[in-house]
Amino acid sequence: MKNDPFFWFKENRIVIPGVKEEHFFVHITDTHLDAIDELSTVEEIAKVEYQEELWAKYKKIFADKSGEPYGEPQMISTREAFDKQIALAEELQPEVLLMSGDNLDNMHPAGERYLAKRMGEYKGRFIAVPGNHEDPSCAGVWEAGVHTIDFDGFRIVAVDNSRKTVTGEDLAALKAVCAEGIPVIILCHVPICTPLCKEIMKSFDEYFYIEKGTADENAREFLELCESCDAVRAIICGHTHGYRDMEFAPGKPQIIGGQGHAGAVDLLTVAGK
Ligand SMILES: [Fe+2]
């Protein structure tokens, strides 16, 4: 599967002193799955066909913008792409498959059924957050609220910031998790833009990130927590449909995955050195 020309890979290593083992994760984002099935209505089928055509055009636009691969192997339906991504993860067997949002192209019944079925069958552990194209929960795939998975010496914390903000309840939950002092890697959809990563983030329109000047109060608090809380060590996210990695605060990486429906995959290692 790894040699399938559909895929292109980035490798990242997040170093968190005190972590004893090497932990391997696969991160995918923006798979924008569109699906139909025997229960789909005529309108739903028409919408999926329309969206697939739209993405055939926009995948190339996004790939060109970031100088990423886009050729015949990437010219497949979002459903074929999604199946390939999941099959790859099953082959690579990460500790956890990280899905940072826009898993579905939009909430639609056949897509939700397909996603729930496919992830129900997934041979491994996964954690997903919603993207801006999705609802706060999707039965069997992601649930509203802040979710934590603990490892040796760090934790992955899934946060819904898909509307370029975080609810008061989620913000309080995230603060409580961070207050425990265990190193945190945040999994969310929307990247942040801070003075340190401004240069890189400004290659995208402001639609694509949370920034102090335009953020609402909760989003500003989220931003400040990420920047200044010692527990927060990294952010894994998506949304831009173009891969970037950078530091958003000294020693704190932000890794933005490329478009999953065009073959982007991050291979992520978390280790003590
Ligand atoms: Fe997206």
Side-chain angles (χ1 to χ4, degrees), residues 30 32 55 101-102 132-133 189 239 241:
D30 296 277
H32 283 266
W55 277 118
D102 284 358
N132 56 302
H133 287 240
H189 186 59
H239 190 42
H241 290 233

